[in-house]
């Protein structure tokens, strides 16, 4: 099934060229079936790349998805044009009275700051609380996952002396989870962060489920049934060359581990995670579809994920 996004969004051309089925807005209106309403709070600097990465995964699932792009209300993006933000993004204050089947919050380049020193921390906390009454299922990525666990459960993040950077093998700890359905016993995930949440920091008795973890880079996926959240500390959504672009951006400093063949940046990296990226997002969308009420007005009234 297709994904419905704005006709002029730059991601549309990329996705159509890749064969992802993208529905025109006029065609979507004529559909009798209710599409899933998914909102993306995009905190990443390169918003267009992030939009494309996540729309690609959402658009590959077998259900019609209507994607709404959301921004922090009072924060001005320094890396994306004002025209793009005005054309395609809605401030959260404008959507806070609406309900969504799914809500995604990306990472942000603020992980070295204490949470309360992030300029939009108060609004993000309000958004996290709002997901409990206006969203059926939520997904947090990288710094947003750390922020959500801190907000809901008081979990602290820890700074790293050396960036966790590369493609690392992860263990599937809970194959029976609906989020891990079909996953291999171990699988590769891109990692790029300067902080971490440690296993020993996860509180007991709150129902938090450690789904996937790496011997080298630590925790990756945590299920939070009581809060209807899936937390991912890493980046299954990354394109093949995203880590290479970050390596070049940082002046060819720290080499991403297990990424370039023979650790040679002159060689093109291979994508070892694409299939599991599609699997995770397909599982997330399927779980939403299987459990969400048809009436959007009932969304958020009974939060909680399947075990």
């Amino acid at each position: 099934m297709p994904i419905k996004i704005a006709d002029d969004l730059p991601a549309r051309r990329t996705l159509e060229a890749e064969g992802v089925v993208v529905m025109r807005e006029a065609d979507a209106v004529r559909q009798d079936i209710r599409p899933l309403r998914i909102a993306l709070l995009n905190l990443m600097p390169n918003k267009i790349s992030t939009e494309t990465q996540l729309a690609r995964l959402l658009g590959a699932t077998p259900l019609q998805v209507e994607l709404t792009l959301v921004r922090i209300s009072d924060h001005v993006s320094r890396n994306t044009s004002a025209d793009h933000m005005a054309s395609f993004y809605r401030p959260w204050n404008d959507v806070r009275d609406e309900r969504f089947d799914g809500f995604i919050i990306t990472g942000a380049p603020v992980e070295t700051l204490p949470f309360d020193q992030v300029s939009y921390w108060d609004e993000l906390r309000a958004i996290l609380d709002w997901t409990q009454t206006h969203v059926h299922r939520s997904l947090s990525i990288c710094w947003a996952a750390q922020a959500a666990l801190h907000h809901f459960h008081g979990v602290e993040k820890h700074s790293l002396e050396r960036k966790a950077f590369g493609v690392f093998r992860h263990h599937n700890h809970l194959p029976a989870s609906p989020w891990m359905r079909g996953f291999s016993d171990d699988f590769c995930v891109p990692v790029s962060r300067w902080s971490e949440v440690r296993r020993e920091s996860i509180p007991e008795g709150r129902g938090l489920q450690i789904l996937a973890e790496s011997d080298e880079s630590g925790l990756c996926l945590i299920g939070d049934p009581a809060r209807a959240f899936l937390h991912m500390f890493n980046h299954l959504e990354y394109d093949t060359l995203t880590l290479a672009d970050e390596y070049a951006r940082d002046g060819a400093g720290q080499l991403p581990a297990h990424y370039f063949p023979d650790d040679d940046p002159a060689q093109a990296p291979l994508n070892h995670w694409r299939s599991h990226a599609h699997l995770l997002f397909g599982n997330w969308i399927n779980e939403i579809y299987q459990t969400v009420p048809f009436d959007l007005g009932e969304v958020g009234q009974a939060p909680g994920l399947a075990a």
Side-chain angles (χ1 to χ4, degrees):
M1 291 293 285
I3 181 172
K4 178 195 166 205
I5 56 179
D7 290 342
D8 297 327
L9 190 70
R12 171 180 288 273
R13 294 187 294 274
T14 302
L15 300 179
E16 288 177 336
E18 295 175 358
V20 176
V21 180
V22 183
M23 176 173 282
R24 294 186 305 144
E25 292 178 287
D27 293 335
V29 171
R30 294 196 294 268
Q31 293 276 319
D32 291 331
I33 187 172
R34 179 174 84 76
L36 294 180
R37 297 197 69 210
I38 307 296
L40 168 62
L41 177 62
N42 190 354
L43 304 176
M44 293 290 279
N46 191 336
K47 299 201 183 313
I48 293 176
S49 292
T50 302
E51 295 156 13
T52 304
Q53 291 167 1
L54 292 170
R56 175 185 296 116
L57 295 168
L58 295 171
T61 56
L63 296 166
Q64 183 181 330
V65 173
E66 179 181 308
L67 184 62
T68 299
L69 300 177
V70 181
R71 63 174 176 83
I72 294 292
S73 300
D74 298 322
H75 182 74
V76 178
S77 175
R78 293 178 294 178
N79 298 281
T80 305
S81 73
D83 286 345
H84 183 86
M85 298 302 295
S87 297
F88 302 113
Y89 280 78
R90 300 174 62 191
W92 174 68
N93 281 336
D94 284 3
V95 305
R96 63 188 304 169
D97 292 331
E98 300 179 20
R99 297 180 187 271
F100 294 90
D101 301 295
F103 196 78
I104 301 172
I105 310 175
T106 73
V110 294
E111 56 191 337
T112 60
L113 296 175
F115 291 118
D116 60 5
Q117 291 185 19
V118 175
S119 61
Y120 47 80
W121 177 240
D122 288 343
E123 182 167 346
L124 182 60
R125 292 182 65 198
I127 292 171
L128 290 169
D129 287 337
W130 166 86
T131 64
Q132 302 302 285
T133 55
H134 288 73
V135 177
H136 185 62
R137 299 285 187 262
S138 297
L139 168 64
S140 59
I141 299 174
C142 199
W143 177 81
Q146 298 176 354
L149 281 172
H150 179 72
H151 175 70
F152 289 130
H153 301 286
V155 177
E156 296 296 334
K157 66 181 176 70
H158 300 270
S159 298
L160 298 172
E161 293 183 4
R162 179 178 173 84
K163 185 178 183 180
F165 190 42
V167 179
F168 298 95
R169 300 204 72 85
H170 287 70
H171 305 294
N172 181 354
H173 286 323
L174 200 59
S177 165
W179 317 122
M180 307 304 292
R181 187 178 294 115
F183 268 67
S184 303
D185 292 337
D186 71 347
F187 54 97
C188 293
V189 184
V191 179
S192 179
R193 49 180 164 77
W194 281 99
S195 59
E196 67 178 358
V197 167
R198 296 173 181 166
R199 171 183 269 269
E200 58 267 27
S201 299
I202 302 301
E204 297 183 0
R206 288 179 170 264
L208 295 173
Q209 305 165 330
I210 297 177
L211 305 177
E213 183 178 20
S214 168
D215 293 337
E216 291 186 80
S217 61
L219 297 174
C220 176
L221 286 165
I222 288 184
D224 188 356
R227 297 293 181 176
F229 253 98
L230 175 64
H231 306 294
M232 177 170 66
F233 300 115
N234 302 326
H235 291 283
L236 271 171
E237 82 281 4
Y238 268 9
D239 292 330
T240 303
L241 296 179
T242 303
L243 292 179
D245 292 340
E246 292 184 7
Y247 174 68
R249 178 201 65 196
D250 295 340
Q254 181 180 337
L255 189 73
H258 318 303
Y259 178 60
F260 294 112
D262 302 321
D263 286 335
D264 179 4
Q267 297 190 49
L270 298 177
N271 190 312
H272 297 288
W273 62 90
R274 182 184 297 114
S275 58
H276 284 92
H278 282 278
L279 189 54
L280 180 70
F281 278 79
N283 286 346
W284 186 67
I285 288 291
N286 180 64
E287 184 64 18
I288 291 173
Y289 173 73
Q290 296 292 338
T291 59
V292 73
F294 184 82
D295 183 355
L296 265 175
E298 298 177 9
V299 164
Q301 296 184 13
L305 299 181

